[in-house]
Amino acid sequence: MKGARTVAPKVDIYHQQLKPPQLRLFLIHVGFRRFYASYTFQSKLLKTGVCAATGFAVAVAFSPAVYADAPSSIHSPESNRFRLSEVRQHGRDASTQWVTKGSKVYDITDWVAAHPGGDVILRAAGGPVDQYWNIFTIHKKKDVYDILEGFYIGDVDPRDLKDGQVPVDHVDDPFKNDPKRDARLLVLSDRPFNAETPGEDLKSFVTPNETFYVRHHMWVPEIQEAGHRLVVELNNGEEREYTLEELKQNFPSVKVLATLQCSGNRRRNMTEGSRATNGLQWGTGAISNAEWTGVRLRDVLADAGFPVNDAPDDVKHAHFVGAEAYGASIPIEKALDKLGDVLIAFEMNGKPLPADHGYPMRIVVPGNVAARSVKWLNRVILSEEESPSQWQRRDYKCFGPNVGGNPDWDSAPAIQEMPVQSAITSLRDISAHSEQDRRLLQVYGLEEDSVAVEGYSFSGGGRRIVRVDVSANGGSSWHQAELLPDETRGAKAWAWRRWRWVLPRSQAGRTFVVKAVDEAYNTQPDHFEPHYNFRGNLASAWHRVGYTSRDRVNSYQT
């Protein structure tokens, strides 16, 4: 490929025996974090003489029980007290990096390369980490505290403390340059920013860029197109590098209409219909539809030298890494599928990607959970293993209704294709006395006051919606909704299907219900409890909306 650059092969750390120093750099996913932290902790103990027995050190490294209990029992001797001036000497540009938390001091040098959030941890180097953890509240849990304790080296000198804590002068806010957002978005959190599409725009087939739902795990990275590069790393370690302009000039441009849906869409419905769930309490608006323009991932991989028609057996996953350190992966079969329409996208609804949606380029994986469509894409890696990121190994999984908040994460596969979903987005009373409403009533052969019910339906894997069933009496009887004309642009039915049902108001009960059926005759469960999971993922039970209003329009965000 003209213009693309070949980079010297890298050592493929997935496929070799790793020595302890290499392990410290590589084991970055959450499933290995306890091992990593305990390994480092036992190394420090050996160096300081706290643990003299090699057998005990091995036990610390491999026993969760010993690991969990050991760090909390350590107290700093007088000789391990540090002045803040000394801590400041261990900032991001020093040979070793220290942070404080509370009145304790930690040497995090070995953890920087393994930190799931990338080198953002260096923002706190040489000072307190407390304020950053107030921003990134995901850190405020016992397993993270336990990991940090593995790097404990002493205490702050009491002469530098104020009210027992390190004084905080200033913290560089990583969110300060986030883009300005549309006021119509329904905000669930500001830092990081997460917001639903408003109900009015859920009725549109193509969601406007300004009100497309936003799901962030961190801040929006500032990226200049001119300096941005996409690196494709093959399974043999060889790399190829592409600019956005090279992708546009050297590969066929493709347009695909595809719906992206967060795994937590309708989580609030599951909480209300079953039990408490962990995570942002999304309503029905963590889903949107857009036209994506880009180049096929398959074509780029072929240009980089990968045999896309005869993939080697040791390549099972395609990893995607974003500029802000988010990572995820998909099975190689999906990445290479001629009908899979996986894109490296650079336009959204005919315009350059907005900053909130991945500028200058992102992966779009139609039919899969949106968590796999990584934004601000800067690296693609082909591997035998799935992505080691916490968003692949932990967050986006489902467990049985009986499993609590401390599951065996490795026992469940990562979410990929989405189940059948539908929701009511609007209930509108139609008056026979309104000239405009009468025209709509005539379309449905009605002359009396009526109710128009509208919503969306969707199924993962490109499976087409073939039927939407609607009930006006809580599910006692059913009718088929009208499936509105849709536009398919892509190999399969990647976009949602809108629907409408109009009925006489006299037939409307107190609760409307909707469920959808796809072409494989998959449908939605009637209640949440049978498929409850503590993370509240894939909440897809029948959607129920109460009906009590008259003579007004209601857009529902439930």
Side-chain angles (χ1 to χ4, degrees):
M1 175 61 65
K2 183 179 179 181
R5 288 160 296 285
T6 301
V7 184
K10 294 175 59 179
V11 176
D12 183 4
I13 54 180
Y14 278 119
H15 302 103
Q16 63 168 304
Q17 294 296 319
L18 301 180
K19 305 298 183 184
Q22 294 170 305
L23 278 173
R24 285 201 293 270
L25 294 175
F26 176 61
L27 299 181
I28 64 176
H29 65 78
V30 169
F32 288 167
R33 285 184 196 162
R34 289 185 177 271
F35 165 78
Y36 171 75
S38 56
Y39 174 89
T40 305
F41 174 64
Q42 58 95 1
S43 297
K44 292 181 185 293
L45 291 181
L46 287 171
K47 290 178 182 178
T48 58
V50 175
C51 172
T54 302
F56 180 76
V58 173
V60 171
F62 291 95
S63 170
V66 173
Y67 156 68
D69 293 337
S72 62
S73 64
I74 293 180
H75 296 283
S76 172
E78 186 77 20
S79 60
N80 282 0
R81 288 182 176 174
F82 303 98
R83 299 301 300 265
L84 287 180
S85 58
E86 183 178 358
V87 174
R88 293 190 192 100
Q89 295 174 15
H90 295 270
R92 65 179 303 150
D93 297 324
S95 59
T96 58
Q97 289 78 39
W98 294 4
V99 298
T100 66
K101 185 179 186 306
S103 61
K104 293 185 176 183
V105 182
Y106 303 88
D107 180 350
I108 62 167
T109 307
D110 289 338
W111 179 238
V112 171
H115 182 237
D119 64 2
V120 66
I121 195 172
L122 293 178
R123 290 175 180 263
V129 75
D130 305 71
Q131 296 303 308
Y132 288 96
W133 284 17
N134 287 336
I135 295 174
F136 302 106
T137 55
I138 191 174
H139 294 86
K140 293 186 173 183
K141 48 189 179 182
K142 185 179 183 300
D143 58 340
V144 178
Y145 294 149
D146 288 346
I147 290 172
L148 184 64
E149 286 300 325
F151 303 95
Y152 171 80
I153 58 173
D155 291 326
V156 176
D157 191 297
R159 290 172 290 178
D160 289 334
L161 298 177
K162 183 177 181 180
D163 298 327
Q165 300 292 318
V166 174
V168 179
D169 298 323
H170 174 71
V171 173
D172 183 24
D173 182 1
F175 295 98
K176 65 183 179 183
N177 294 319
D178 270 16
K180 184 177 180 181
R181 278 89 181 202
D182 194 290
R184 292 171 294 174
L185 288 167
L186 304 179
V187 180
L188 278 74
S189 69
D190 287 314
R191 298 182 175 210
F193 188 81
N194 291 283
E196 297 187 37
T197 297
E200 191 63 30
D201 285 336
L202 289 175
K203 295 187 291 184
S204 302
F205 178 66
V206 174
T207 313
N209 289 1
E210 297 77 14
T211 54
F212 198 100
Y213 89 97
V214 180
R215 175 67 174 112
H216 291 330
H217 296 84
M218 288 180 272
W219 59 94
V220 176
E222 293 185 88
I223 299 175
Q224 300 299 321
E225 178 184 325
H228 190 71
R229 300 290 185 272
L230 171 65
V231 176
V232 177
E233 181 182 334
L234 303 183
N235 55 310
N236 62 3
E238 182 178 336
E239 295 182 349
R240 292 293 294 272
E241 191 176 275
Y242 302 89
T243 66
L244 178 58
E245 191 60 30
E246 288 166 352
L247 294 176
K248 290 180 177 180
Q249 289 182 355
N250 298 322
F251 297 95
S253 179
V254 179
K255 294 183 183 294
V256 173
L257 276 163
T259 295
L260 295 185
Q261 179 180 198
C262 178
S263 73
N265 191 36
R266 298 188 58 210
R267 180 179 286 133
R268 185 165 73 240
N269 293 168
M270 179 176 282
T271 297
E272 295 169 348
S274 183
R275 288 172 273 154
T277 58
N278 295 345
L280 293 168
Q281 295 299 300
W282 298 97
T284 55
I287 182 172
S288 300
N289 190 50
E291 179 189 71
W292 308 94
T293 304
V295 299
R296 296 190 189 280
L297 173 63
R298 174 188 167 91
D299 293 345
V300 176
L301 293 178
D303 180 74
F306 187 73
V308 295
N309 293 316
D310 187 22
D313 292 340
D314 63 347
V315 177
K316 295 181 171 58
H317 303 269
H319 297 199
F320 310 121
V321 182
E324 92 295 23
Y326 182 88
S329 62
I330 60 174
I332 194 65
E333 293 83 3
K334 173 66 175 179
L336 302 181
D337 188 354
K338 293 180 179 179
L339 303 180
D341 285 336
V342 179
L343 298 184
I344 301 173
F346 43 78
E347 288 186 4
M348 179 179 178
N349 294 331
K351 299 178 181 179
L353 289 171
D356 267 330
H357 298 290
Y359 176 84
M361 66 177 78
R362 71 176 298 169
I363 279 286
V364 173
V365 186
N368 285 37
V369 63
R372 310 301 165 220
S373 292
V374 175
K375 294 172 284 194
W376 313 295
L377 182 71
N378 63 11
R379 182 172 286 269
V380 175
I381 304 169
L382 301 184
S383 172
E384 186 173 10
E385 304 290 337
E386 66 177 348
S387 170
S389 82
Q390 69 177 42
W391 301 286
Q392 186 77 23
R393 300 292 180 114
R394 285 178 69 109
D395 281 4
Y396 294 102
K397 294 186 175 185
C398 287
F399 297 89
N402 58 306
V403 178
N406 188 29
D408 175 3
W409 290 99
D410 292 335
S411 68
I415 298 169
Q416 294 288 350
E417 293 184 358
M418 299 294 284
V420 187
Q421 179 69 281
S422 67
I424 296 169
T425 59
S426 174
L427 287 178
R428 183 164 73 90
D429 288 326
I430 303 175
S431 173
H433 305 290
S434 163
E435 182 177 349
Q436 181 178 356
D437 284 352
R438 279 200 301 270
R439 288 196 293 269
L440 179 61
L441 290 174
Q442 289 171 1
V443 172
Y444 293 95
L446 298 171
E447 297 181 352
E448 60 185 289
D449 290 349
S450 299
V451 181
V453 192
E454 296 179 338
Y456 62 74
S457 58
F458 178 70
S459 187
R463 291 179 288 275
R464 182 170 52 93
I465 294 294
V466 297
R467 195 178 80 229
V468 171
D469 301 327
V470 191
S471 172
N473 54 16
S476 295
S477 61
W478 297 90
H479 302 265
Q480 279 63 59
E482 172 193 8
L483 297 179
L484 301 181
D486 60 1
E487 306 171 45
T488 56
R489 194 164 297 154
K492 296 183 180 180
W494 306 123
W496 60 14
R497 195 77 185 267
R498 296 173 300 150
W499 55 268
R500 179 188 298 136
W501 183 42
V502 180
L503 73 158
R505 185 184 296 174
S506 59
Q507 297 178 15
R510 294 187 175 184
T511 304
F512 281 87
V513 185
V514 64
K515 61 184 177 74
V517 181
D518 70 15
E519 62 182 304
Y521 288 97
N522 299 308
T523 190
Q524 299 168 249
D526 57 350
H527 287 86
F528 283 107
E529 184 58 30
H531 77 295
Y532 169 85
N533 61 93
F534 78 93
R535 287 288 288 115
N537 287 326
L538 308 185
S540 57
W542 297 355
H543 189 215
R544 294 171 167 84
V545 172
Y547 177 70
T548 57
S549 60
R550 294 293 186 268
D551 299 321
R552 62 189 179 92
V553 176
N554 290 302
S555 290
Y556 284 89
Q557 202 79 21
T558 59

